[in-house]
Amino acid sequence: DTEVTQTPKHLVMGMTNKKSLKCEQHMGHRAMYWYKQKAKKPPELMFVYSYEKLSINESVPSRFSPECPNSSLLNLHLHALQPEDSALYLCASRGRSNQPQHFGDGTRLSIL
Amino acid sequence: EDQVTQSPEALRLQEGESSSLNCSYTVSGLRGLFWYRQDPGKGPEFLFTLYSAGEEKEKERLKATLTKKESFLHITAPKPEDSATYLCAVPDPWGGYQKVTFGTGTKLQVIP
C-alpha cells in the first residue's frame, strides 16, 4: 500500500470529454508532483506544487490544468485530450528538497 | 545539463544468480541519489537514499552503494519476485532541487 492515493485507477475518455484525476497524501509533505509516464520510459515531470503554489510547469499543453486545493490534495483537470496523451499519470509528494519523492500507483488513462 | 545513465537496459538472471545494476551521473554537487523499484502498471516504489560517497544501504537481497560518479544496486541470490524495473534519480539543481532527473531504468527479469 502506498501513502499517496490516486483515483481513479483507470480512465477511458473521448477527446471531447472533461475529467479530473485526484491525488491525496497524508504525510505532511508540502511539495506535490504530476508526472506522465509512457511505456518503457521513466516518469516525465509535468507540474510541481510547493506550499500549494505552482512552482514548476514543464511547458505542458494547456489541455492539462493542475489544481492544488490544499497541502494534501492535488488534482489534474483534463480537457480535449489527444490520443497521444494516453499514458500512466503519476502523483508524488516530497518532504524536504533532499528527500525522495513518494509515488502513488497512478491512473491509467486511455484516450479514444 | 545533468545526466543520469543506467546500465544495462535489461538484465535476465537465473534465480540465485547475483548481479549488479549501475547508475552513473554527472550532477555536480550531488544532494542525494534515490533508487526505486517499479512494477508494471504501478508507481515507483522508493527503496533507498544515498547521500555521500562510501555510503551503503541494505534491504533484504538488495544493497545500494555510492561513489563520486556512480551508484550500484547489488542483488544477491535474486528471486522471481525481484523482477521489476529499477530506476535511479538524482535531485536537479534547476528550480532549487524541486525536481529530479531519472535514469532510463534497468528492467530485471529473474527466471525460476
Side-chain angles (χ1 to χ4, degrees):
Chain A
D1 289 342
T2 64
E3 295 176 81
V4 177
T5 303
Q6 291 188 242
T7 55
K9 293 189 184 303
H10 303 277
L11 180 61
V12 179
M13 57 187 287
M15 290 189 284
T16 58
N17 292 157
K18 286 185 180 181
K19 296 285 185 182
S20 296
L21 310 185
K22 297 186 182 299
C23 175
E24 186 170 8
Q25 59 91 10
H26 293 288
M27 293 180 282
H29 291 168
R30 301 310 296 266
M32 295 187 75
Y33 300 75
W34 279 117
Y35 286 89
K36 174 183 178 180
Q37 188 176 27
K38 300 285 265 186
K40 300 183 180 180
K41 298 286 188 181
E44 178 185 344
L45 182 64
M46 300 175 74
F47 303 104
V48 179
Y49 273 85
S50 180
Y51 289 85
E52 297 136 61
K53 291 186 179 178
L54 183 64
S55 62
I56 297 176
N57 173 349
E58 296 278 289
S59 300
V60 176
S62 60
R63 56 186 184 268
F64 295 92
S65 175
E67 178 195 17
C68 190
N70 61 53
S71 60
S72 300
L73 294 174
L74 187 65
N75 300 320
L76 185 64
H77 303 297
L78 314 173
H79 174 56
L81 295 193
Q82 303 297 308
E84 62 264 29
D85 297 322
S86 297
L88 181 67
Y89 287 83
L90 295 163
C91 173
S93 70
R94 173 185 56 76
R96 291 194 299 271
S97 63
N98 63 345
Q99 291 180 335
Q101 295 173 29
H102 293 266
F103 287 82
D105 275 340
T107 294
R108 173 66 61 187
L109 177 64
S110 298
I111 307 300
L112 301 179
Chain B
E1 185 177 317
D2 297 332
Q3 298 272 349
V4 181
T5 305
Q6 291 188 245
S7 62
E9 191 174 311
L11 183 60
R12 198 170 184 216
L13 299 174
Q14 290 292 134
E15 184 172 1
E17 180 187 2
S18 301
S19 188
S20 297
L21 314 182
N22 177 265
C23 172
S24 62
Y25 57 89
T26 59
V27 175
S28 57
L30 185 71
R31 288 176 56 138
L33 185 144
F34 311 123
W35 281 100
Y36 291 89
R37 168 197 170 123
Q38 186 172 24
D39 293 302
K42 294 206 160 188
E45 175 191 351
F46 170 67
L47 293 174
F48 303 110
T49 303
L50 300 165
Y51 286 112
S52 56
E55 190 174 359
E56 299 183 352
K57 294 273 180 73
E58 281 189 72
K59 180 181 179 180
E60 296 181 353
R61 295 175 293 282
L62 300 177
K63 183 166 94 171
T65 62
L66 183 66
T67 72
K68 288 185 178 179
K69 292 186 177 181
E70 58 192 349
S71 177
F72 291 94
L73 186 65
H74 307 278
I75 303 177
T76 302
K79 297 182 177 182
E81 54 262 42
D82 295 320
S83 298
T85 295
Y86 290 85
L87 294 162
C88 67
V90 299
D92 189 324
W94 187 87
Y97 295 98
Q98 293 202 71
K99 58 184 287 192
V100 295
T101 299
F102 279 96
T104 50
T106 293
K107 184 174 182 179
L108 174 65
Q109 183 183 13
V110 182
I111 303 162

